[in-house]
Amino acid sequence: MGRTFDAIPDHLVSWMEEQPIYFVASAPLSADGHVNVSPKGGDSFRVIDANTVAYQDLTGSGAETIAHTRENGRLTIMFASFGDKPNIVRLFGTGEAVLPDDADFADLYARFPDHPGTRSIMRLRTREITTTCGYAVPMMELVGHRTTLDEWVDRKSPEDLDEYRVQKNSYSLDGLPALAD
């Protein structure tokens, strides 16, 4: 049976941080805009307090979540258990990209492994946390974490990463500013 919480219950904190994959969802205000769902993984998620979570946002080919949260703040993070005990957890709230030049960045970044591909820390201030059964989610085993992004970043200089972000992360698919000023 599903439950709803106003704050993150203690029993979910370590469970969420142990999951090898989670998904973030965002959307622009425009009805014909692109709804975005992105998988995230590795050691990139942290519970900051009972109503705040964050994840390490690594350089990618798009920046939809950053653009959408800049426009409207809407962000959902979902976890699904693929192990023996089924469970789905959704965190609903207001998200924001904390960029390297923001006052809170250093404190948030220190909570994560050092990664030269980090372009922001996405922070979510939750307003509602829900759990549902997950009975229809398949059981799967983790084979391992991909190293492709790490290898790609290792071949880039800081200037190369900056240029890539200007080319690929300035605007969303719908033309909303992401990393563009």
Side-chain angles (χ1 to χ4, degrees):
M1 182 57 76
R3 296 188 59 196
T4 301
F5 305 93
D6 294 332
I8 301 167
D10 290 341
H11 73 276
L12 290 180
V13 172
S14 61
W15 180 85
M16 288 187 295
E17 290 181 345
E18 292 168 0
Q19 298 311 302
I21 188 170
Y22 57 98
F23 303 88
V24 300
S26 62
L29 293 176
S30 171
D32 61 348
H34 290 80
V35 174
N36 184 63
V37 179
S38 294
K40 306 294 179 189
D43 185 19
S44 64
F45 179 84
R46 297 291 184 273
V47 175
I48 306 302
D49 62 41
N51 288 101
T52 310
V53 299
Y55 70 87
Q56 190 174 28
D57 177 49
L58 302 177
T59 299
S61 57
E64 302 306 297
T65 306
I66 294 173
H68 295 162
T69 56
R70 281 186 72 178
E71 182 195 39
N72 60 56
R74 295 183 304 170
L75 182 62
T76 298
I77 299 176
M78 185 191 84
F79 294 85
S81 172
F82 298 101
D84 292 339
K85 185 178 178 187
N87 194 21
I88 297 173
V89 173
R90 289 179 182 88
L91 308 171
F92 299 96
T94 302
E96 67 176 319
V98 180
L99 301 174
D101 59 348
D102 292 339
D104 293 346
F105 183 82
D107 177 56
L108 289 169
Y109 185 78
R111 298 169 183 264
F112 297 94
D114 185 39
H115 196 290
T118 301
R119 66 181 172 194
S120 75
I121 303 296
M122 294 300 299
R123 178 170 45 200
L124 175 67
R125 297 185 195 283
T126 64
R127 71 173 180 280
E128 183 177 13
I129 297 92
T130 64
T131 62
T132 54
C133 68
Y135 292 168
V137 175
M139 291 178 23
M140 298 188 291
E141 291 184 22
L142 177 66
V143 174
H145 295 283
R146 294 185 194 279
T147 59
T148 310
L149 180 62
D150 294 342
E151 293 162 3
W152 179 83
V153 168
D154 287 344
R155 294 190 303 268
K156 305 287 183 197
S157 69
E159 296 78 23
D160 292 338
L161 284 173
D162 288 343
E163 179 59 29
Y164 180 87
R165 290 177 186 140
V166 167
Q167 290 177 6
K168 301 285 188 178
N169 300 160
S170 290
Y171 296 91
S172 74
L173 294 171
D174 299 312
L176 297 172
L179 294 180
D181 293 328

